[in-house]
Amino acid sequence: MPSAPLAERLSIPSGPLFFPVTAYGHDGALDLDAYRAHVRQGVEAGAAAVFACCGTGEFHALTPEEFETCVRAAVEAAEGRAPVVAGAGYGTALAVRYARLAEAAGADGLLAMPPYLVAAAQEGLLRHYREVAAATALPVIVYQRDNAVFTPDTAVALARTDGVIGLKDGLGDLDLMQRVVSAVRTEVPGDFLYFNGLPTAEQTQLAYRGLGITLYSSAVFCFVPEIALAFHRALRDGDDTTAHRLLDGFYRPFVELRAQGRGYAVSLVKAGVRLRGLDVGEVRPPLHEPAEDHVKRLARLIERGYALLGGDV
């Protein structure tokens, strides 16, 4: 593992956070050569971190054995140039198992996703994430969304939990996030990391920046890293003109296209990777492939996005 702790490496957002898709061959099995190539391309393009086997990586569709194999492959491909954070989810026992598999595979940290199906009270959620954090020596980022939404008091308790270094927000309630940030800042000494984890997070990142949240996931980095990097630089440099140009000309149309199908936050991204020349296979069920017309629209949008960059590339 790199000498610098994960929180230190992530605290300075040197580039977008990369959530690679998981590659499958034509027989539906893992294609590790394509997966390593995908991860390697992202790291070389300037990703600040690799989040392997998370939402975009179809965590839900992987067996524990496939999960460990993919995380290990991501670590090998990253070669220490970017930290690798692995997903962990389902019920507490399985989440602990995935956490330990990720640690054995050499991951630098964990993204703890919501528990499966159940709607739990705050005390149950807190116990769940504390058990996941205690299961390994890996630092943990907790993912808020769906059935895992935290009050400011619970967020403070999480921030006080050994091993928990941050909160990724996939809910989009800015009032709640402002109260969470304020409560943790007031009651917990030291730094705590926050991430915008909404689908196509660039679309909302200007608003999150206003809360002081500079870290965000970038699914489009999988297939148009130059566009994602240009947007990231614009935010870093306060270049709102470029940010607005990319939002209006690329990100908003992409979000509108993504809304045309359930599961497109994954399957449309995977189609984009294939359009850029890397065969990562199709998504596994219950996700489905985008309609042919939607893939054609995506291809045109990619061309438009690169045209918008002008001299930025």
Side-chain angles (χ1 to χ4, degrees), residues 45-221:
V50 177
F51 282 69
C53 303
C54 297
T56 310
E58 297 179 79
F59 171 81
H60 69 278
L62 300 173
T63 67
E65 295 77 16
E66 289 175 323
F67 168 85
E68 183 178 10
T69 298
C70 278
V71 173
R72 193 178 303 278
V75 171
E76 292 168 356
E79 297 180 319
R81 294 172 292 173
V84 175
V85 179
Y90 301 120
T92 306
L94 272 176
V96 164
R97 182 182 178 191
Y98 278 99
R100 289 172 176 162
L101 289 172
E103 185 175 44
D108 299 290
L110 299 169
L111 177 63
M113 293 180 282
Y116 174 71
L117 194 60
V118 295
Q122 294 291 295
E123 55 265 37
L125 290 171
L126 182 58
R127 180 180 174 187
H128 170 80
Y129 289 108
R130 281 178 166 170
E131 290 192 23
V132 173
T136 75
L138 296 178
V140 175
I141 299 160
V142 175
Y143 195 177
Q144 169 171 267
R145 59 175 292 172
D146 301 329
N147 59 332
V149 177
F150 310 109
T151 65
D153 286 344
T154 302
V156 167
L158 283 170
R160 288 174 173 161
T161 299
D162 288 343
V164 176
I165 64 168
L167 178 68
K168 179 183 178 185
D169 180 52
L171 181 66
D173 184 336
L174 294 183
D175 173 80
L176 174 61
M177 279 306 297
Q178 178 63 78
R179 289 185 287 121
V180 164
V181 171
S182 176
V184 172
R185 182 172 57 229
T186 301
E187 301 185 36
V188 184
D191 295 326
F192 192 66
L193 301 177
Y194 298 95
F195 304 75
N196 174 5
L198 288 171
T200 317
E202 288 94 341
Q203 183 73 3
T204 53
Q205 187 52 31
L206 286 171
Y208 276 81
R209 186 180 67 177
L211 301 182
I213 299 173
T214 57
L215 293 162
Y216 63 91
S217 56
S218 178
V220 303
F221 183 85

Side-chain angles (χ1 to χ4, degrees), residues 24-39:
Y24 308 123
H26 295 294
D27 60 355
L30 294 177
D31 184 341
L32 292 178
D33 288 340
Y35 184 66
R36 290 190 189 94
H38 181 44
V39 172

Side-chain angles (χ1 to χ4, degrees), residues 15-19 169 195-209 213-235 242-244 246-248 250-252 254-255 258 269:
L17 305 179
F18 175 34
F19 285 68
D169 180 52
F195 304 75
N196 174 5
L198 288 171
T200 317
E202 288 94 341
Q203 183 73 3
T204 53
Q205 187 52 31
L206 286 171
Y208 276 81
R209 186 180 67 177
I213 299 173
T214 57
L215 293 162
Y216 63 91
S217 56
S218 178
V220 303
F221 183 85
C222 288
F223 63 95
V224 284
E226 298 90 348
I227 295 173
L229 284 163
F231 184 81
H232 188 273
R233 285 195 301 268
L235 289 183
T242 297
H244 291 162
L246 294 173
L247 284 169
D248 297 344
F250 175 78
Y251 285 104
R252 178 174 57 83
F254 177 77
V255 168
R258 192 197 70 208
V269 170

